[in-house]
């Protein structure tokens, strides 16, 4: 009698392991499907879809095994396969849950990094990230002897726009300008909000003449385009602006990245003093003086 009861308990336990393993496999499909839906169509998404198919195949295999060997566990060694099935299902569930949790953590970190380096209004890099990139690109230029240039862009009479149309329109003008500049440079060029209505463009592998040509094209494109066009209080608003740009290039021998930006800032100031809506190149005399100071 005790032997029959032991066999009965063993059989029920084996059946539970098989059915429980099948249910655990079904549960593992939920985190897999969450991951798959969040991914764009790519080889990675196809791989997760393939994993879903495999899990479904394993689920069917568990059911077939249960049908073939239902109530057939008589000895302890008959529990080996059901135990392996159940532990395998637990392993699959844990891996899927960890993958989904890791994906959530990575996504959260990416969002935090994005928010840490981007200006929320203009959708370009912020001043903090600008300082990091300037140091990195200057070091790269010094190490490998590469060209490096910057543009400092400022909106002419921006205060008049805010006074005439309000700060919301002023913000839209800056947004349109930032996106125009961003769309006009190369993929590896970097656009930053330098401060207020000023934008800085960092141009790796670019000579002073190349930066000047780009600055002149930007100045002309902005002057020819309407930045904001809408109807306010029944009257059309057609906001057009001009920009002034200061240009400088990095000298490997006599200056650091801060001095390059300072010279671009002085060139921008000179552009405003000379009538605005113009491009000015950093004064080479200042660079020569800096070189004499270093050699002394």
């Amino acid at each position: 009698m005790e032997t029959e009861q032991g066999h009965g308990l063993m059989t029920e336990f084996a059946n539970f392991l098989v059915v429980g393993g099948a249910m655990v496999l079904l549960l593992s499909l939920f985190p897999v499907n969450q991951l798959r839906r969040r991914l764009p169509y790519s080889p990675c998404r196809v791989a997760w879809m393939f994993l879903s198919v495999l899990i479904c195949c394993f689920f069917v295999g568990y059911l077939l095994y249960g049908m073939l060997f239902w109530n057939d566990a008589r000895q302890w060694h008959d529990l080996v396969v059901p135990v392996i099935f159940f532990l395998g299902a637990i392993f699959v569930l844990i891996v899927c849950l960890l993958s989904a949790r890791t994906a959530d953590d990575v996504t959260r970190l990416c969002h935090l990094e994005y928010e840490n380096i981007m200006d929320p209004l203009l959708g370009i890099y912020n001043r903090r990230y600008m300082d990091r990139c300037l140091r990195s690109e200057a070091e790269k230029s010094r190490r490998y002897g590469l060209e490096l240039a910057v543009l400092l862009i400022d909106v002419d009479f921006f205060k008049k726009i805010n006074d005439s149309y309000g700060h919301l329109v002023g913000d839209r003008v800056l947004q349109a300008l930032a996106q125009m500049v961003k769309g006009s440079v190369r993929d590896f060029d970097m656009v930053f909000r330098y401060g207020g209505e000023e934008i800085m463009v960092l141009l790796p592998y670019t000579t002073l003449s190349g930066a000047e040509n780009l600055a002149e094209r930007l100045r002309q494109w902005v002057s020819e385009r309407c930045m904001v066009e809408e109807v306010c209080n029944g009257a059309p608003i057609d906001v057009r602006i001009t920009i002034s740009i200061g240009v400088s290039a990095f000298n490997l021998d006599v200056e650091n990245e801060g001095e390059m930006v300072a010279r671009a800032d002085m060139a921008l100031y000179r552009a405003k003093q000379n009538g605005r809506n113009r491009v000015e190149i950093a004064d080479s005399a200042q660079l020569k003086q800096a070189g004499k100071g270093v050699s002394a």
Side-chain angles (χ1 to χ4, degrees):
M1 181 69 68
E2 292 180 359
T3 302
E4 291 180 357
Q5 289 180 350
H7 288 166
L9 291 174
M10 191 179 304
T11 299
E12 293 179 359
F13 184 59
N15 295 339
F16 167 78
L17 289 176
V18 174
V19 174
M23 295 300 103
V24 169
L25 282 178
L26 283 182
L27 287 176
S28 66
L29 287 174
F30 289 98
V32 171
N33 288 332
Q34 289 179 355
L35 274 171
R36 182 176 53 81
R37 285 195 302 267
R38 292 168 56 183
L39 290 171
Y41 191 80
S42 63
C44 186
R45 183 177 182 181
V46 173
W48 281 106
M49 293 173 63
F50 180 67
L51 179 61
S52 299
V53 173
L54 286 180
I55 292 175
C56 293
C57 292
F58 287 142
F59 174 75
V60 173
Y62 279 38
L63 294 183
L64 288 176
Y65 179 86
M67 293 172 59
L68 293 174
F69 299 98
W70 192 258
N71 293 330
D72 199 31
R74 302 297 179 183
Q75 303 294 330
W76 285 108
H77 60 77
D78 294 330
L79 294 177
V80 172
V81 174
V83 168
I84 292 175
F85 276 12
F86 184 76
L87 294 179
I90 294 293
F91 173 77
V92 172
L93 177 62
I94 291 174
V95 169
C96 293
L97 289 174
L98 285 177
S99 299
R101 180 62 182 270
T102 302
D104 289 337
D105 291 343
V106 170
T107 302
R108 190 177 302 110
L109 287 174
C110 289
H111 284 310
L112 289 174
E113 176 67 16
Y114 180 84
E115 292 174 356
N116 188 50
I117 66 175
M118 298 298 291
D119 182 86
L121 176 63
L122 303 189
I124 55 179
Y125 297 125
N126 59 24
R127 180 69 178 266
R128 183 188 303 111
Y129 189 59
M130 182 199 78
D131 294 334
R132 288 166 50 187
C133 292
L134 267 174
R135 287 192 298 269
S136 175
E137 292 299 328
E139 178 61 30
K140 189 188 303 181
S141 295
R142 278 189 290 263
R143 181 177 300 175
Y144 301 109
L146 301 174
E147 301 285 353
L148 180 64
V150 295
L151 310 180
L152 272 183
I153 305 170
D154 192 25
V155 180
D156 297 330
F157 303 111
F158 184 70
K159 185 176 184 301
K160 289 185 178 180
I161 296 175
N162 285 332
D163 293 341
S164 301
Y165 305 108
H167 289 278
L168 291 179
V169 174
D171 289 345
R172 290 185 56 190
V173 168
L174 291 179
Q175 291 168 350
L177 175 62
Q179 295 309 309
M180 180 181 293
V181 173
K182 187 177 178 181
S184 302
V185 299
R186 301 164 298 185
D187 292 339
F188 53 83
D189 295 331
M190 289 164 278
V191 183
F192 309 90
R193 187 176 189 180
Y194 187 68
E197 66 272 14
E198 293 181 336
I199 294 173
M200 194 189 86
V201 185
L202 184 59
L203 303 169
Y205 321 116
T206 305
T207 63
L208 183 62
S209 61
E212 181 184 7
N213 292 335
L214 173 61
E216 187 58 42
R217 289 198 303 270
L218 284 173
R219 184 201 62 78
Q220 185 175 356
W221 288 341
V222 171
S223 65
E224 293 173 350
R225 284 164 173 76
C226 173
M227 306 304 290
V228 175
E229 186 175 6
E230 64 178 25
V231 176
C232 182
N233 297 326
I237 296 178
D238 184 2
V239 182
R240 296 177 181 269
I241 63 171
T242 61
I243 56 176
S244 299
I245 306 178
V247 184
S248 70
F250 187 53
N251 188 285
L252 307 178
D253 301 321
V254 300
E255 67 177 354
N256 58 39
E257 62 275 10
E259 292 168 342
M260 174 182 63
V261 176
R263 291 192 298 110
D265 191 48
M266 285 185 282
L268 174 61
Y269 177 78
R270 196 164 58 251
K272 289 183 170 293
Q273 291 294 104
N274 293 337
R276 293 181 168 84
N277 190 23
R278 60 186 293 118
V279 174
E280 288 286 347
I281 309 301
D283 192 353
S284 58
Q286 295 171 347
L287 187 58
K288 292 178 181 178
Q289 291 176 2
K292 291 178 181 178
V294 171
S295 61

